[in-house]
């Protein structure tokens, strides 16, 4: 069995399986090689039974620095050798030819990178690689989930200096198809193709659909075989330190088949994938007829549209708080940094002056949504509503940011918990979650009464209009409604739905919250293509796309899909208007032109 000469299937997530078996997110998973080797072995055997050609050792993050954060800095050799031994035993018991890959993460976590230089990173990797290749070591090494190309290049040279074991070098890309370091797939493929690697590729962070675009570019520019191991969509937070993924095996297999059609030589899974996904992937490759009858979305890259300016803008009366108090039907639009000014211009042209500012969907450093909201409020002459997430911020940081924003004129906030980036075996590796959205609402309510987070008196009171999220597509609707009520009790003045694509779930939420008498703003985002609808239906937790909508988008074809998406959104708005207190319209990826026909329905 040789890399690149046939399509091979790697296993799926080790961390997800260990977490499902009861391992806490904040413990060292590689240490289980010593404390619970039977559990680790069982997971290897499950992936082999599913048909995987390659299993990866439970050694992601098993280096001195990562292990040191959990109290095991002196057990690098012992933990890595145990991981190889467990995987080798599972390999020996398998009745077909399979390979054992040594899983090697970046030497440092995102926070450690700021203070640890290249020389120490190389030494840390050298120690781990020496352990997994000692004696009867691994058959190959997979360098995985590298967000920075310089670190991946360093790691390749470390391995090449120590052993002649084949190396697969995998970078991780965000939704925008850039690494955390800002490199494109072309740059990654070009650089790695000139290094001593048997294969290059990508894994983690994003699901199958987004990764397919990255993999196609890697294949286009690489001179060596390419691998791809996507996540099972986006994680859904189910508890203070627990997550789950929702992609089913059929959808995963459909995209795995498309990876191979694009020229990818090694496929597999990362966070959220299980033996069920790998079994489906094996079936899709070995027996393509197993996918007959399943939807196969057309390949599409979303078009960008020229900016639309606005002239003759009419004045807008009343702040969000005033509109809520007067029970006026509220019309707003949401935008991210790149298109927010254009969205504001469209709103003003329709006599609307309320813009919800959303944080960028990226794990890289970016302008905070509070800062962006203040900037737009000053530059565009509209009232802004900042979406504030509590992920990766202490309560003291949140308090300081909010007090500063209030002093500069910001008055409206939507409180969200947010989700961590997925970089490794599981989410929440590096960040902070000192409070969730409920805690943020309580903080804002306290500031409005003149009390800080410790209950101490402030010199002045704030006057924030506080919003909170509710998800009509939540899997556990009773729990979602209970949490929405708790947010209202904590001090939320209004609720904002997650994007809705059908009326039934909205009706359930409106009925359940009727006694609360709290304004509910409906979020609507027109679909642009069948591929986008397919992605939302399968890879994004808590989103419901009706089967009729999926069929309509698929039948529309590439040319008419955008118009059909706008028509479906307009129909939803007409039916929903009498049920809610207002709407927030979102234009996706700079396509602000979609706002005009929707505003004509509700303005």
């Amino acid at each position: 069995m040789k890399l690149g000469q046939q399509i091979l299937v790697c296993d799926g997530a080790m961390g997800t399986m260990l977490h499902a078996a009861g391992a806490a997110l904040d413990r060292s998973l590689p240490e289980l090689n010593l404390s619970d080797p039977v559990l680790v072995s069982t997971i290897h055997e499950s992936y082999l039974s599913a048909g995987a050609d390659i299993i990866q050792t439970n050694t992601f993050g098993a280096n001195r620095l990562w292990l040191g954060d959990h109290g095991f800095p002196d057990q690098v050799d012992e933990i890595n050798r145990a991981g190889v031994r467990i995987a080798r035993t599972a390999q020996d018991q398998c009745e077909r030819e399979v390979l054992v890959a040594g899983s090697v993460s970046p030497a440092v976590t995102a926070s450690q990178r700021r203070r640890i230089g290249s020389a120490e990173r190389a030494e840390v990797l050298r120690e781990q690689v020496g352990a997994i290749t000692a004696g009867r070591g691994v058959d190959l090494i997979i360098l995985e989930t590298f967000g920075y190309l310089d670190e991946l290049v360093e790691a390749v040279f470390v391995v090449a200096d120590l052993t002649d074991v084949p190396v697969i070098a995998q970078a991780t890309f965000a939704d925008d198809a850039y690494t955390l370091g800002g490199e494109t797939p072309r740059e990654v493929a070009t650089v790695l193709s000139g290094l001593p690697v048997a294969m290059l590729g990508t894994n983690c962070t994003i699901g199958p659909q987004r990764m397919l675009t990255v993999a196609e570019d890697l294949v286009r520019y690489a001179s060596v075989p390419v691998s791809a191991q996507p996540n099972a969509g986006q994680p859904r937070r189910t508890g203070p330190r627990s997550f789950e993924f929702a992609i089913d095996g059929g959808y995963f297999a459909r995209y795995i088949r498309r990876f191979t059609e694009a020229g990818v030589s090694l496929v597999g899974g990362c966070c959220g994938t299980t033996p069920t996904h790998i079994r489906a992937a094996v079936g899709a490759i070995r027996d393509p007829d197993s996918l007959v009858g399943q939807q196969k979305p057309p390949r599409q890259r979303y078009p960008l549209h020229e900016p639309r300016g606005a002239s003759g803008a009419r004045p807008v009366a009343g702040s969000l708080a005033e509109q809520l108090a007067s029970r006026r039907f509220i019309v707003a639009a949401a935008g991210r940094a790149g298109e927010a000014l254009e969205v504001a211009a469209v709103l003003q042209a329709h006599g609307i002056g309320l813009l919800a500012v959303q944080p960028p969907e990226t794990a890289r450093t970016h302008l905070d949504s509070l800062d962006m909201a203040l900037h737009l409020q000053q530059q565009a002459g509209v009232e802004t509503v900042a979406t504030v997430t509590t992920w990766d911020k202490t309560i003291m940081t949140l308090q300081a940011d909010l007090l500063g924003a209030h002093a500069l004129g910001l008055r409206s906030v939507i409180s969200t918990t947010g989700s961590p980036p997925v970089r490794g075996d599981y989410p929440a590796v590096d960040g902070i979650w000192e409070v969730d959205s409920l805690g943020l609402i309580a903080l804002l309510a306290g500031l409005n009464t003149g009390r800080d987070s410790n209950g101490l008196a402030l010199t002045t009171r704030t006057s924030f209009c506080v919003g909170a999220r509710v998800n009509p597509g939540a899997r556990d609707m009773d729990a979602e409604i209970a949490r929405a009520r708790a947010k209202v009790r904590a001090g939320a003045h209004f609720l904002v739905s997650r994007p809705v694509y059908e009326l039934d779930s909205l009706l359930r939420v409106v009925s359940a919250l009727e006694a609360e008498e709290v304004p509910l703003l409906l979020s609507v985002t027109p679909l642009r293509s069948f591929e986008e609808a397919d992605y939302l239906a399968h890879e994004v937790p808590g989103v419901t796309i009706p089967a009729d909508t999926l069929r309509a988008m698929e039948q529309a074809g590439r040319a008419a899909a955008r118009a059909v998406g706008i028509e479906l959104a307009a129909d939803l708005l007409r039916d929903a208007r009498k049920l809610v207190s207002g709407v927030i319209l979102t234009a996706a990826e700079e396509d602000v032109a979609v706002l005009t026909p929707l505003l004509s329905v509700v303005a």
Side-chain angles (χ1 to χ4, degrees):
M1 186 182 297
K2 293 185 178 181
L3 297 177
Q5 295 186 2
Q6 64 189 98
I7 296 173
L8 299 178
V9 180
C10 197
D11 60 8
M14 173 63 74
T16 297
M17 297 295 290
L18 292 173
H19 173 45
L25 282 174
D26 54 359
R27 70 159 297 159
S28 171
L29 298 185
E31 190 279 330
L32 290 167
N33 295 337
L34 304 179
S35 61
D36 199 347
V38 174
L39 173 59
V40 177
S41 178
T42 299
I43 293 170
H44 286 319
E45 292 165 5
S46 296
Y47 281 120
L48 291 174
S49 296
D53 300 306
I54 300 173
I55 53 172
Q56 300 174 87
T57 57
N58 180 36
T59 53
F60 185 92
N63 65 60
R64 184 198 321 151
L65 295 174
W66 287 50
L67 291 174
D69 284 347
H70 298 279
F72 308 107
D74 300 324
Q75 293 182 270
V76 173
D77 189 75
E78 188 179 2
I79 288 173
N80 280 278
R81 285 175 180 259
V84 175
R85 185 168 58 251
I86 295 167
R88 281 294 195 190
T89 300
Q91 178 192 40
D92 292 341
Q93 293 173 352
C94 187
E95 296 180 352
R96 55 191 175 83
E97 183 183 5
V98 295
L99 300 175
V100 170
S103 172
V104 177
S105 72
V108 294
T109 63
S111 61
Q112 291 169 340
R113 178 179 165 87
R114 304 171 192 134
R115 52 186 169 82
I116 294 174
S118 174
E120 186 173 354
R121 293 198 300 259
E123 181 56 35
V124 167
L125 285 178
R126 190 172 291 111
E127 183 180 14
Q128 182 186 5
V129 172
I132 63 173
T133 56
R136 189 193 175 201
V138 294
D139 298 313
L140 64 142
I141 289 175
I142 299 182
L143 303 171
E144 55 175 332
T145 323
F146 279 72
Y148 298 89
L149 184 55
D150 62 334
E151 287 188 39
L152 186 50
V153 170
E154 289 170 6
V156 169
F157 283 121
V158 166
V159 177
D161 286 343
L162 288 175
T163 178
D164 58 0
V165 168
V167 177
I168 299 176
Q170 294 186 151
T172 192
F173 294 82
D175 273 335
D176 58 6
Y178 287 85
T179 67
L180 297 178
E183 296 93 7
T184 65
R186 180 175 184 172
E187 290 168 329
V188 169
T190 302
V191 170
L192 293 179
S193 290
L195 302 182
V197 299
M199 185 177 289
L200 63 86
T202 179
N203 77 295
C204 205
T205 305
I206 52 179
Q209 190 179 114
R210 297 294 193 262
M211 188 173 284
L212 178 61
T213 299
V214 172
E216 288 173 335
D217 283 346
L218 291 176
V219 170
R220 184 175 298 115
Y221 298 110
S223 60
V224 296
V226 170
S227 65
Q229 294 181 264
N231 285 353
Q234 299 178 7
R236 183 176 75 91
R237 188 171 183 261
T238 57
R241 299 287 292 177
S242 60
F243 300 83
E244 69 177 19
F245 295 77
I247 279 186
D248 61 70
Y251 177 87
F252 186 80
R254 174 151 51 89
Y255 271 89
I256 288 298
R257 181 65 184 171
R258 295 184 67 190
F259 279 113
T260 63
E261 292 170 347
V264 173
S265 301
L266 172 65
V267 292
C270 203
C271 298
T273 56
T274 67
T276 298
H277 295 90
I278 299 306
R279 182 175 292 106
V282 170
I285 294 170
R286 310 283 190 257
D287 179 18
D289 291 340
S290 66
L291 295 179
V292 171
Q294 295 194 40
Q295 298 158 324
K296 184 175 181 180
R299 182 73 185 99
Q300 178 174 348
R301 290 181 184 269
Y302 300 135
L304 298 180
H305 296 263
E306 294 298 322
R308 263 71 170 180
S311 59
R314 299 186 294 276
V316 180
S319 66
L320 174 58
E322 291 168 341
Q323 292 183 61
L324 289 171
S326 65
R327 297 182 181 274
R328 290 174 52 191
F329 189 82
I330 295 165
V331 179
R336 302 189 191 277
E339 73 275 5
L341 283 172
E342 298 171 41
V343 172
V346 173
L347 289 176
Q348 288 178 318
H350 286 80
I352 298 165
L354 189 60
L355 176 64
V357 180
Q358 300 175 335
E361 292 182 332
T362 174
R364 287 185 296 280
T365 300
H366 55 76
L367 191 64
D368 186 89
S369 57
L370 281 172
D371 295 330
M372 178 55 67
L374 285 167
H375 172 73
L376 289 170
Q377 192 158 288
Q378 295 163 0
Q379 295 294 315
V382 297
E383 181 186 1
T384 56
V385 184
T387 302
V388 179
T389 65
T390 64
W391 166 248
D392 218 15
K393 288 187 176 182
T394 66
I395 191 168
M396 296 307 294
T397 299
L398 287 166
Q399 178 173 275
D401 289 348
L402 289 166
L403 288 173
H406 189 274
L408 293 173
L410 188 78
R411 292 295 181 267
S412 302
V413 173
I414 299 172
S415 306
T416 65
T417 300
S419 296
V422 181
R423 297 194 298 266
D425 268 0
Y426 41 77
V429 172
D430 289 309
I432 303 164
W433 234 326
E434 202 165 274
V435 293
D436 60 5
S437 60
L438 201 58
L440 177 57
I441 294 167
L443 171 63
L444 287 160
L447 296 178
N448 282 348
T449 62
R451 298 284 174 178
D452 69 7
S453 59
N454 294 314
L456 301 177
L458 298 168
T459 56
T460 185
R461 296 182 180 184
T462 60
S463 54
F464 283 114
C465 183
V466 183
R469 292 283 191 183
V470 62
N471 183 13
R475 183 178 302 177
D476 186 342
M477 186 53 66
D478 289 341
E480 185 69 14
I481 294 301
R483 188 164 175 80
R485 289 171 177 155
K487 292 174 181 178
V488 174
R489 289 195 299 270
H493 300 124
F494 65 99
L495 297 175
V496 179
S497 79
R498 298 287 182 182
V500 171
Y501 298 91
E502 44 83 34
L503 201 62
D504 290 345
S505 60
L506 178 65
L507 283 167
R508 289 194 295 271
V509 168
V510 170
S511 176
L513 293 174
E514 186 175 8
E516 306 300 325
E517 297 185 348
V518 60
L520 173 63
L521 308 186
L522 171 67
S523 292
V524 174
T525 304
L527 296 166
R528 294 169 296 168
S529 67
F530 169 71
E531 193 168 32
E532 182 182 51
D534 200 33
Y535 168 78
L536 292 171
H538 292 92
E539 296 195 36
V540 181
V543 176
T544 301
I545 307 289
D548 288 347
T549 297
L550 284 170
R551 279 194 296 272
M553 295 301 294
E554 185 176 22
Q555 292 169 1
R558 185 174 302 181
R562 179 173 173 272
V564 170
I566 294 172
E567 183 181 349
L568 290 169
D571 290 343
L572 175 64
L573 284 171
R574 292 187 188 95
D575 293 337
R577 177 165 182 159
K578 60 182 177 294
L579 301 173
V580 296
S581 301
V583 296
I584 299 179
L585 308 174
T586 302
E589 291 193 18
E590 302 180 3
D591 190 8
V592 298
V594 305
L595 294 176
T596 298
L598 297 181
L599 287 169
S600 67
V601 175
V602 294

